[in-house]
């Protein structure tokens, strides 16, 4: 997959509309994690530095109409600090005030529009809205990989009206994820965890014939264990996915994929910080307890299975890592991936919660790539051509 990568020179003196993902956590006007802003700095610096007149557009949260708490104003302030340049903010996305602000931009200037989801037309990919957003500009740069699975006005619609290019973050995501999906070095391991099997079915189906090792932990493992006839107590289970799990187990065997499931688990009465935690073998989960993390024998087994692996894709925590008593499994996998990276493996982490977990484990910089996408990364791995990427393809 080859993208039309924007060259900074192309932006010189041009009015450029750039789609970013500034969907950062904000409480009481304060940004608690600016990682998403930082992820776009390379593109912003390059285009503004080359003399582009940049209009940045993003969503924030899921507003129903104009919601003052979901204004992007605090992001403009943070962006100014990060790039050490003034950033103009306008309280709208289209209309006279916006058009005036765009016409007064000089080479290198940066303007941030208000939360594009304040307009319901955004998520409907309304053509009139997309046109109004696009028209004051001369080119479009799509840098928001994490929003590329959505065919919205600002991620897809505007591309109908402007020559469209990929920003540097978009290019990096697509490049690395394409290697993992289409051309991985073997042996290749896929590690899946998290809450739900149903979120990951497409990924399993697309990747099963490509991987050598499949490791399943987290809440989703219990549906597979139930499919093998084990009693899982009150652990998470998707009963309507047990048949899928059975088929998958058989298919993995037929394809010669080495499949690893937990052999012991940390159980408790309920998922809270002060819960009394016990380690039990997988076939001895008490009726009234639930599995909330993989156990120490499983950690050993999974780490052994990963030894010598050349490519790893990890999506989904091994346990309820948000609670300290149940974070060991997730931390151990994060550490193992860091080791593999140091040995030259390509290690890629995807998913919103998994990215937060690798950060919490202090291993964010020790792996090859932490994808900024959640849903987008999963859909990419399912083999889909994302609607926000399609207009960026080199024909
Ligand atoms: P991602 O956002 O990385 O794709 P998911 O959303 O699929 O990951 O899963 C993350 C969630 O799964 C976390 O909130 C975590 O607490 C939960 N989880 C992991 N293991 C278990 C478990 N054994 N029981 C219940 N929830 C779990
Ligand atoms: Mg999640």
């Amino acid at each position: 997959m080859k993208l039309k990568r924007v060259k900074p020179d192309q932006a010189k003196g041009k009015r450029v509309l750039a789609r970013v993902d500034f969907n950062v956590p904000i409480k009481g006007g304060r940004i608690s994690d600016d990682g998403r802003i930082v992820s776009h700095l390379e593109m912003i610096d390059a285009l503004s530095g080359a003399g582009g007149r940049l209009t940045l557009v993003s969503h924030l949260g899921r507003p129903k109409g104009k919601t003052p708490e979901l204004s992007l104003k605090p992001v403009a302030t943070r962006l100014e600090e990060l790039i050490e340049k003034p950033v103009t903010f306008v309280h709208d996305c289209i209309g006279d005030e916006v058009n005036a602000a765009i016409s007064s931009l000089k080479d290198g200037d940066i303007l941030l529009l208000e939360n594009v989801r304040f307009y319901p037309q955004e998520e409907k990919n309304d053509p009139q809205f997309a046109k109004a957003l696009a028209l004051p500009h001369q080119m479009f740069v799509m840098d928001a990989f994490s929003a590329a699975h959505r065919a919205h006005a600002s991620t897809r619609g505007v591309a109908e009206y402007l020559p469209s290019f990929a920003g540097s973050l978009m290019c990096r995501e697509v490049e690395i994820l394409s290697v993992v999906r289409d051309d991985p070095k073997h042996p290749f391991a896929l590690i899946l965890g998290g809450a739900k099997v149903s979120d990951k079915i497409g990924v399993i189906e697309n990747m099963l014939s490509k991987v050598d090792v499949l490791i399943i932990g987290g809440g989703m493992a219990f549906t597979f264990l139930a499919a093998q006839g084990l009693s899982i107590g009150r652990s998470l289970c998707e009963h309507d996915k047990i048949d899928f799990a059975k088929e998958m187990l058989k298919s993995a065997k037929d394809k010669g994929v080495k499949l690893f499931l937990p052999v012991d688990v940390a159980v408790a009465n309920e998922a809270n910080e002060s819960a009394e935690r016990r380690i039990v073998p997988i076939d001895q989960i008490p009726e009234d307890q639930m599995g909330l993390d993989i156990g120490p024998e499983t950690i050993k087994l999974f780490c052994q299975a990963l030894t010598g692996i050349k490519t790893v894709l990890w999506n989904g925590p091994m346990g309820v890592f948000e609670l300290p008593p149940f974070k060991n499994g997730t931390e151990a996998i994060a550490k193992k991936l860091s080791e593999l990276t140091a040995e030259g493996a390509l290690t890629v982490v995807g998913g919103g919660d998994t990215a937060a977990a690798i950060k919490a484990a202090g291993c964010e910089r020790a792996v090859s790539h932490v994808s900024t996408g959640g849903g987008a990364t999963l859909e990419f791995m399912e083999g889909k051509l994302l609607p926000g990427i399609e207009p960026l393809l080199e024909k």
Side-chain angles (χ1 to χ4, degrees):
M1 185 184 296
K2 192 146 173 43
L3 298 185
K4 289 180 283 175
R5 184 190 190 108
V6 65
K7 295 183 194 78
D9 279 354
Q10 290 172 300
K12 190 173 175 359
K14 293 258 176 61
R15 295 183 303 278
V16 182
L17 177 67
R19 180 52 158 101
V20 290
D21 182 353
F22 284 165
N23 184 23
V24 291
I26 302 186
K27 273 213 182 88
R30 287 194 61 84
I31 298 169
S32 56
D33 180 352
D34 64 4
R36 285 210 159 120
I37 307 176
V38 172
S39 72
H40 291 292
L41 290 182
E42 187 183 325
M43 178 277 291
I44 297 170
D45 263 339
L47 299 192
S48 150
R53 304 171 174 206
L54 268 190
T55 304
L56 304 174
V57 61
S58 174
H59 71 286
L60 177 64
R62 298 171 185 272
K64 298 237 169 355
K66 291 192 175 151
T67 318
E69 311 85 76
L70 291 175
S71 169
L72 278 166
K73 180 93 211 302
V75 172
T77 312
R78 184 71 192 116
L79 179 59
E80 268 187 343
E81 291 164 8
L82 286 166
I83 54 170
E84 298 172 339
K85 246 188 192 181
V87 173
T88 310
F89 179 75
V90 273
H91 286 276
D92 211 334
C93 304
I94 55 169
D96 294 343
E97 194 201 342
V98 173
N99 294 346
I102 295 169
S103 350
S104 62
L105 290 176
K106 297 189 190 59
D107 289 3
D109 283 355
I110 299 168
L111 175 75
L112 175 62
L113 303 181
E114 182 52 288
N115 189 349
V116 69
R117 284 196 191 160
F118 283 0
Y119 283 87
Q121 296 97 309
E122 158 69 358
E123 292 183 71
K124 295 190 182 111
N125 193 8
D126 178 272
Q128 289 311 314
F129 178 68
K131 198 171 173 183
L133 205 54
L135 276 193
H137 303 94
Q138 295 160 293
M139 60 192 275
F140 175 53
V141 172
M142 174 64 174
D143 205 33
F145 171 77
S146 50
H149 58 315
R150 303 209 161 103
H152 291 173
S154 68
T155 57
R156 174 60 193 251
V158 291
E160 303 292 328
Y161 305 98
L162 292 171
S164 302
F165 302 90
S168 49
L169 174 63
M170 172 64 85
C171 290
R172 188 161 68 246
E173 289 277 9
V174 167
E175 198 178 304
I176 297 179
L177 297 176
S178 299
V179 170
V180 173
R181 187 186 67 184
D182 306 325
D183 193 20
K185 274 203 185 130
H186 292 273
F188 172 24
L190 173 62
I191 309 173
L192 290 175
K196 281 157 72 191
V197 180
S198 42
D199 291 345
K200 323 267 154 120
I201 287 180
V203 175
I204 299 176
E205 282 176 340
N206 189 43
M207 300 304 287
L208 196 62
S209 53
K210 311 183 185 202
V211 301
D212 305 292
V213 170
L214 175 59
I215 291 175
I216 300 179
M220 67 181 278
F222 296 100
T223 301
F224 287 87
L225 295 163
Q228 292 182 324
L230 287 157
S231 326
I232 55 167
R234 286 167 49 237
S235 309
L236 272 190
C237 183
E238 281 170 275
H239 294 282
D240 60 336
K241 294 293 173 295
I242 289 183
D243 285 341
F244 168 81
K246 280 185 184 157
E247 273 167 42
M248 234 273 320
L249 291 169
K250 183 175 177 307
S251 175
K253 202 169 178 186
D254 293 346
K255 292 185 157 77
V257 173
K258 289 186 201 144
L259 178 87
F260 295 88
L261 284 164
V263 292
D264 62 348
V265 275
V267 296
N269 262 325
E270 46 193 327
N272 68 43
E273 234 160 286
S274 49
E276 199 184 319
R277 168 184 174 281
R278 272 205 301 144
I279 303 294
V280 296
I282 206 65
D283 55 357
Q284 289 172 35
I285 301 176
E287 287 272 314
D288 60 338
Q289 307 252 305
M290 51 180 110
L292 297 169
D293 192 11
I294 54 174
E297 289 303 319
T298 305
I299 291 177
K300 261 190 230 158
L301 176 73
F302 287 3
C303 287
Q304 264 162 22
L306 287 168
T307 298
I309 291 288
K310 293 280 193 306
T311 310
V312 186
L313 174 65
W314 178 23
N315 171 265
M318 294 290 104
V320 184
F321 73 98
E322 299 93 335
L323 300 173
F326 307 107
K327 67 180 171 89
N328 293 357
T330 303
E331 256 182 31
I333 295 296
K335 297 246 152 64
K336 183 68 190 179
L337 258 56
S338 310
E339 275 171 41
L340 291 172
T341 319
E343 289 161 14
L346 176 68
T347 54
V348 176
V349 178
D353 291 294
T354 317
I358 196 129
K359 229 177 185 176
C363 298
E364 197 192 5
R365 284 176 206 293
V367 294
S368 313
H369 181 64
V370 180
S371 177
T372 52
T377 311
L378 289 177
E379 289 193 28
F380 192 94
M381 287 301 157
E382 287 171 15
K384 289 185 186 156
L385 176 55
L386 308 186
I389 292 182
E390 202 197 325
L392 315 175
L393 291 178
E394 191 89 71
K395 294 270 155 55

